Amino acid sequence: MTMMSADCGFPDTRASGRVRTSLILVVPSLYLAATLLYSAWQAVWGVQVDPESAYTMNGLVAAAGYGSLKFDHPGTTTTLLVELVIRGWALVARPDDIVAFGLKHYDAITCAARTCEALVLSGALLAGGLIVGRTTRSAIAAMLFQAGAFVHPDAFHFQTVLAPESLMVGIALFGMAIVLKAALDERPPSTSLGVVSGLIFALGFATKYLYLPQALFAVCLLRNRRAFVAALITGAIGFVGFSLIFNPGTITRGFGWLVQIATHKGHYGEGETGFIDFATFWSNMREIIAAVPLAAGTYVAAAAAALAWCIKTRDWRDPVTLTLSAAVVVFAAYLVATSKHFALHYMMASWALMGGVLVLVVVQIRRLVPAIPSAALSLLAGGLCAVTAAVTLIDARAVALQTSRANAIGARLSQAVVAAGPACANVSGMFVGAPENDMNHGWDMTLQLWGDQAMRERFSVAYARAFTVALLDHNTYTHVLKNNFRPTSYAKLAADYPCIIVRSPWELNEDTSIGLLALHPDHCVIEGIHVYTVGLACAKVQGSFLRER
């Protein structure tokens, strides 16, 4: 059975094409404005250093001619985006050393990449909305599809910052629009549509390994076997080819990393051998479902609607039913994977597709019970999405204000440290909001792990060329003290500087102090940040901090 686009279960707005297009513009415009405003409150050197700095640094590594050094998500498209930003800027600025140039403009590069991601996702919402609106001839269906961008504050946050999740969601939304077109159009999907679907999958999978379950959406193409086969071949070849060109580690090492995760119960392949830790699995699943009950309810409704159609018609090959069934399996896969390796934003892809699944659910219910007014179903689904979006934006605003306050404290303390001890060694680390420290996380996640000594030395020399003040990092993860990315010691700092000031997000002990406690430092706590001083009274930093109000 084919699905006629002239009757897709939504109020028909084809008589007013301009009005429909204007309505479809509303959600992408709102999303772009909200994203740019939220991003402005999220200092790139502040709370959100991880994972942003890793992708900025990796993009700089690629722009310097070394290729990608990250394969663990794999984030290939995100790295490529940053590389393009750097190379494009360098074409205009024509710097003598692109590494020094990138380090000097590190934060600006991150902000530019964030903006590009926001434009990509907004573009995906607009293009996807136009496709869905044209297929269903309904602006309401298009806006319902677009609502997935506002499904949860945690998802909205990761869509906004520089992370693979942002591009993954943009790709997934556009891919879902193609899925809806293939499932709902009165004509069978063309072979070219299958090729487009394969290319979208290749880009999505190269962006985040979590995109893999969405390969199941290829069932929407089964009305044309050639389109289905074209999607499979294009997706496989596209992913391998794109990865080998831009990030070979995805193929050579990335899948081994996935096996490590799948065979160990802890985060990132740590902990004891095994797939699932049932001590936390079920509680994680309950928390995920409770986080966005509308998403869970949508996929339950999708399962019920698909089953009801099969029972009523005995037709298991109907494209809408197959697509709904695929959506349910995709959601279940994400639910299990996230419950095992818990972080709410791992559900982003399935959450973002909630709007598209709702469109299919409304269509299926109308096919099952034509007597139900299409306007009633549309208003119910739209109202639930509107409430969810409003809650997301309200919560995101609260998070932005809280983050901004924390970042302001970090920046103020950084100024206070310089004012109290301008000649002191200024040592900081992650999570203290030090504006000067954010590059270190990027270094740790790229060059420190996978770079060779020549690469590391080039970046260290470039930093010294770009900045007059040394970058001193106290890393409690690796237990390494760094000076311009090179390992050093507190004994050496004590010999080179008249005093030392160290900021840490938590109290240090013999294991985490990296030798600092051997110097018997003074210690105080300023706005929750632990400050240690050698050769200078900690009270002087406190006094300087109070004067910085």
Side-chain angles (χ1 to χ4, degrees), residues 42-169:
Q42 301 289 320
V44 297
W45 43 261
V47 174
Q48 192 55 46
V49 172
D50 181 11
E52 286 194 295
S53 182
Y55 288 97
T56 302
M57 185 65 76
N58 198 43
L60 179 55
V61 169
Y66 297 113
S68 178
L69 292 181
K70 278 190 73 63
F71 57 86
D72 50 350
H73 285 96
T76 306
T77 56
T78 305
T79 296
L80 182 60
L81 172 63
V82 177
E83 181 183 357
L84 290 174
V85 168
I86 296 171
R87 288 186 181 275
W89 194 352
L91 282 175
V92 177
R94 297 189 178 279
D96 295 331
D97 180 9
I98 197 168
V99 175
F101 174 80
L103 294 175
K104 189 171 184 178
H105 300 285
Y106 199 78
D107 292 349
I109 290 166
T110 303
C111 289
R114 278 186 183 180
T115 303
C116 290
E117 287 191 328
L119 291 170
V120 168
L121 207 153
S122 300
L125 286 173
L126 176 58
L130 290 172
I131 291 171
V132 174
R134 189 175 295 114
T135 300
T136 61
R137 296 177 183 172
S138 171
I140 296 174
M143 296 178 75
L144 198 60
F145 158 81
Q146 294 168 333
F150 296 98
V151 71
H152 188 268
D154 203 39
F156 180 80
H157 170 78
F158 278 92
Q159 289 165 196
T160 301
V161 301
L162 180 61
E165 285 80 4
S166 179
L167 290 178
M168 178 185 68
V169 168

Side-chain angles (χ1 to χ4, degrees), residues 197-213:
S197 298
L199 290 174
I200 292 170
F201 172 80
L203 287 176
F205 196 29
T207 301
K208 187 89 173 177
Y209 287 125
L210 275 174
Y211 199 90
L212 178 60

